[in-house]
Each structure stands twice: as C-alpha cells, then as structure tokens.
C-alpha cells in the first residue's frame, strides 16, 4: 500500500509541476515551445515503446508514420480548409489504416528482418513526400498550417494554451499505454516479446496481437505528427527522415525501453540537453554518440530500467540473513 501511495505521490507531483510550469515561464515563449515539442515527441516515443518495448518488434518506420499524420493534417487544413479537430481525427485514422496495410506485410518477417523492412518503408515514405510536389509541396513543404480551432471559449493562439493542449494529449496517451500494458492484452504482448513460440503453444494468436500492437503504435505516431504540424505551422520532408526515427529510438533506449516512464524521461532529457548544447551543434553526433554507447554498456535497460534494478538490489540487501533465529527453509524439510 505504501508503494502505491508513493508512486501516486510522485505522479501527482509531476502532474502538478507540469501544470504550473507555464506560470513559472509565462514570459518565455521559447521555453514553453521547447517543452511542448518534447511532449509531442514523447507521445510518438510511447507508441514506439509499445511495439518495440512490450511486443518485441523494432519498427524503424515510425518517423514515416509521424510524417503521414503531420502531412494529412497539413493538407486537409491548408488546402481543403477542413476543421482542425476533424482533420486531426482523420490524420490518426489514415495513419492507422496505413499501418494496418503495411503491418500485414511487415509482420510476416521477424526480428532484424522486420527492422530492416520497416526502415525501407520509412525511407520510401520520405522519398514519396520529398518527390510528390503536387501533393506535399516537395522540398518546399507545407506552410501556414492553422492552429487548432477554438472549443467554445477556449482558444489556442498562445504558447501557453498550446502547451496545455499537448499536455492533455500526452497525459491521455500515457494513461492509455498504462491501461494497455497492465491489462490482459499487455500481458499477451509481453509473452510474445519473451518467446513467440511459447506464446503460440499457449494458444495466443501472435500475428493478430502483433498487428494490433503495431497499429496502436502507428496511431500514436500519427497523433504526434498532427500536433507537431499544428504547433510549428510548417513541415518538410525532414519529419520523415531516418534522423528523426533514430532520434526517437535514442530517446527510448536512454529513457528505458519496455518501461512506462522511460519514453518521457529519455525524450525530455535529450530535448533539453540539445538546448544546452546548441552552441556545439556541429559536434552533435560526437557528443550524443558516446553518451548512447555508455548508456547501452552500463545501463542497457535505460535510466528508468537501471533505477529499478538498483532499487531491487537495495531491497534485496535489506532482507534478513539466515541465522539460527531465521531460516527460510525448515530443517526437517531440508533433511528430506
């Protein structure tokens, strides 16, 4: 009970901090913008975590689906003048439909073959966006994407209002992820990750479950992409680049793949680390490369996974040792 209360206390403190953050930096639009970008990327990384961390299938087409969501919203709002909220819904649905079609083919492969196939799919999406000038604008991209339409008295013209809107979607995304992972469906995904052959012997339809996990993951990416397009109001082919997908993967690995808080920790850590190292932008890879290598060597389960391992070791050391007053195995049963 105490553990649950402690977890709830930490979550409550973090949510309260996120709610009051704009009040602390009310006059600094740049800080709010960076924080909002971090929230959007965290939504996408939570989707990648669901398929890679809990189902065991590493999808490297995640940035491509992120771009599909962004361009769908951008095209529908700028060229068709569609209502933002309807365009947002269609962006998520279209991205999910694309994930369903591509997943039916991709999930016929396994392990590194699946990763290679999805990497190729992601690059093909990038080329399609880059070369299809008539639809996507090509290298020019889409400019003038509108902000979200008002909801009654609520408007989203300020950086603070966009911050709270994206925060609401982030909290909803985390809540859905937690509910999925802690449900029977989540246990099924973990069983597939641990041993797909064993899961099949238990009667689990692994292909259907992997496909559903992939589609949900893609939906997260589409939602994040649509929010990103509305926030920046300009998108180009770079949102589908391999650099973007490897950034998502880096956030996930450093934060803790297969954990519920790892995507948020890793994303926010690197987003702010990039801001502190802006003056060394030319040495971006030289700085982040060694950090990632050291993390993989010393914390293969990421920051959050490493924290839980250290915590488990400390709790194990606190257990009472065997003595004449304490013996976990009764002497009679031991003799038998």
């Amino acid at each position: 009970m105490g553990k649950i209360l402690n977890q709830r206390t930490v979550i409550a403190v973090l949510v309260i901090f996120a709610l009051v953050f704009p009040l602390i930096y009310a006059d600094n639009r740049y800080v709010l913008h960076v924080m909002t970008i971090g929230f959007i990327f965290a939504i996408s990384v939570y989707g990648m975590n669901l398929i890679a961390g809990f189902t065991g299938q590493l999808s490297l087409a995640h940035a491509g689906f992120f771009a599909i969501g962004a361009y769908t919203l951008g095209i529908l709002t700028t060229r068709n003048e569609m209502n933002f909220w309807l365009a947002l819904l269609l962006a998520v649905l279209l991205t999910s439909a694309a994930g369903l079609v591509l997943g039916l083919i991709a999930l016929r492969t396994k392990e590194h073959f699946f990763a290679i196939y999805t990497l190729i799919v992601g690059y093909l999406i990038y080329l399609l966006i880059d070369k299809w000038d008539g639809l996507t604008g090509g290298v020019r991209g889409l400019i003038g994407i509108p902000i979200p339409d008002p909801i009654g008295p609520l408007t989203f013209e300020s950086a603070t209002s966009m911050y709270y809107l994206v925060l609401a979607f982030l909290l909803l995304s985390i809540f859905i992820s937690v509910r999925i992972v802690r449900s029977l469906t989540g246990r099924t995904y973990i069983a597939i990750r641990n041993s797909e052959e064993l899961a099949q012997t238990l009667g689990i339809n692994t292909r259907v479950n992997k496909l559903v996990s992939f589609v949900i993951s893609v939906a997260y990416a589409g939602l994040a992409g649509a929010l990103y397009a509305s926030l920046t109001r300009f998108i180009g082919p770079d949102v589908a680049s391999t650099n973007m997908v490897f950034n998502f993967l880096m956030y996930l690995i450093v934060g803790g793949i297969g954990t519920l808080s790892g995507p948020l920790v890793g994303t926010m850590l690197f987003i702010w680390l990039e801001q502190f190292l802006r003056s060394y932008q030319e040495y971006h890879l030289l700085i982040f490369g060694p950090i990632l290598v050291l993390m993989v060597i010393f914390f293969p389960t990421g920051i959050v996974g490493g924290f839980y391992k250290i915590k488990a070791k400390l709790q194990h050391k606190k257990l009472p040792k065997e003595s004449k007053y304490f013996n976990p195995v009764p002497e009679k049963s031991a003799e038998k």
Side-chain angles (χ1 to χ4, degrees):
M1 186 65 180
K3 181 180 178 181
I4 296 176
L5 291 176
N6 289 335
Q7 290 178 347
R8 290 179 177 177
T9 301
V10 172
I11 293 172
V13 169
L14 292 176
V15 172
I16 292 173
F17 173 76
L19 292 174
V20 301
F21 186 83
L23 303 179
I24 301 173
Y25 293 95
D27 299 328
N28 196 328
R29 291 174 55 89
Y30 179 75
V31 172
L32 290 180
H33 180 78
V34 172
M35 200 72 164
T36 308
I37 289 289
F39 289 166
I40 291 173
F41 286 168
I43 293 173
S44 183
V45 177
Y46 266 102
M48 176 178 278
N49 188 41
L50 185 64
I51 184 68
F54 290 102
T55 315
Q57 306 291 318
L58 179 59
S59 172
L60 296 179
H62 211 65
F65 294 113
F66 181 91
I68 291 176
Y71 271 90
T72 300
L73 182 130
I75 292 170
L76 292 178
T77 53
T78 57
R79 300 184 180 178
N80 298 332
E81 298 182 354
M82 184 177 292
N83 178 273
F84 171 84
W85 301 107
L86 179 58
L88 178 67
L89 176 62
L90 291 177
V92 176
L93 292 177
L94 181 62
T95 308
S96 302
L100 177 63
V101 173
L102 294 173
L104 287 171
I105 303 173
L107 290 170
R108 292 179 178 272
T109 60
K110 295 181 180 181
E111 299 176 352
H112 54 281
F113 296 106
F114 176 82
I116 294 171
Y117 179 84
T118 53
L119 178 62
I120 295 172
V121 169
Y123 188 67
L124 290 176
I125 294 173
Y126 166 77
L127 290 177
L128 185 65
I129 293 173
D130 186 58
K131 304 301 180 183
W132 197 349
D133 291 351
L135 180 66
T136 65
V139 294
R140 298 186 305 275
L142 295 177
I143 303 173
I145 299 171
I147 61 176
D149 293 319
I151 303 178
L154 298 177
T155 60
F156 303 96
E157 298 177 355
S158 66
T160 302
S161 59
M162 283 299 297
Y163 170 92
Y164 282 121
L165 175 64
V166 174
L167 175 61
F169 277 109
L170 173 63
L171 293 176
L172 177 62
S173 301
I174 295 175
F175 175 77
I176 293 174
S177 293
V178 172
R179 297 296 297 175
I180 290 175
V181 171
R182 293 181 177 175
S183 67
L184 180 59
T185 301
R187 303 298 181 189
T188 302
Y189 293 161
I190 294 172
I192 295 172
R193 179 195 66 188
N194 293 339
S195 175
E196 186 171 345
E197 290 75 14
L198 179 58
Q200 289 175 342
T201 61
L202 295 174
I204 296 174
N205 191 328
T206 56
R207 178 169 296 181
V208 171
N209 279 279
K210 288 193 296 184
L211 181 60
V212 172
S213 175
F214 186 72
V215 172
I216 297 174
S217 170
V218 162
Y220 271 70
L223 172 62
L227 292 174
Y228 180 83
S230 180
L231 177 68
T232 59
R233 307 193 66 184
F234 164 78
I235 49 174
D238 288 344
V239 296
S241 66
T242 52
N243 287 337
M244 181 72 82
V245 72
F246 283 120
N247 281 341
F248 290 156
L249 185 59
M250 179 174 62
Y251 301 156
L252 180 58
I253 292 174
V254 171
I257 187 170
T259 63
L260 289 173
S261 54
L264 183 60
V265 172
T267 302
M268 300 312 299
L269 175 65
F270 268 94
I271 286 293
W272 283 108
L273 187 59
E274 288 176 353
Q275 298 306 311
F276 292 134
L277 299 176
R278 278 184 303 167
S279 56
Y280 303 98
Q281 192 66 30
E282 297 179 358
Y283 308 100
H284 180 272
L285 295 179
L286 291 177
I287 297 172
F288 286 160
I291 293 175
L292 188 58
V293 171
L294 291 174
M295 286 295 304
V296 172
I297 294 174
F298 296 104
F299 291 94
T301 55
I303 295 174
V304 176
F307 169 78
Y308 283 126
K309 280 190 174 181
I310 293 172
K311 184 179 179 181
K313 288 182 180 179
L314 293 176
Q315 289 178 344
H316 180 71
K317 289 182 179 179
K318 291 180 180 179
L319 291 175
K321 297 181 180 180
E322 294 183 14
S323 66
K324 62 180 180 179
Y325 303 106
F326 175 79
N327 190 344
V329 182
E331 293 181 2
K332 291 184 180 181
S333 60
E335 291 175 359
K336 291 180 182 179

